[in-house]
């Protein structure tokens, strides 16, 4: 999945288990996600401040799931952040 979300866009990393959210930029949320244990990553989602298009979906979304966040983490790491 490639998103057009700018790394400096505000976002919120949330945990479906009820842990406190992280409110920061998408880059910081993605880096924080990468530091989580695997069992916590499956519970994580990123809430965007502006919806983004998704491949295979007709509508835009406000929420990124763990697989999408993992892809962003790899992209972030490859870009040298």
């Amino acid at each position: 999945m490639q998103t057009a979300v700018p790394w400096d866009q505000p976002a919120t990393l949330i945990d479906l288990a009820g842990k406190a959210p992280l409110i920061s930029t998408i880059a910081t949320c993605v880096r924080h996600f990468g530091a989580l244990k695997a069992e916590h990553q499956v519970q994580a989602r990123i809430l965007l401040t502006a919806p983004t298009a998704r491949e295979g979906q007709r509508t835009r979304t406000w929420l990124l799931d763990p697989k999408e966040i993992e892809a962003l983490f790899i992209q972030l790491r490859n870009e040298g952040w």
Side-chain angles (χ1 to χ4, degrees), residues 2-49:
Q2 291 290 344
T3 70
V5 179
W7 292 123
D8 61 347
Q9 176 181 309
T12 304
L13 179 65
I14 58 174
D15 181 319
L16 299 179
K19 292 189 175 31
L22 170 67
I23 302 169
S24 189
T25 63
I26 189 79
T28 301
C29 290
V30 168
R31 281 195 304 266
H32 187 76
F33 171 86
L36 296 174
K37 293 179 181 179
E39 62 264 21
H40 297 282
Q41 286 182 345
V42 297
Q43 296 294 322
R45 304 294 185 274
I46 291 182
L47 179 62
L48 303 170
T49 55

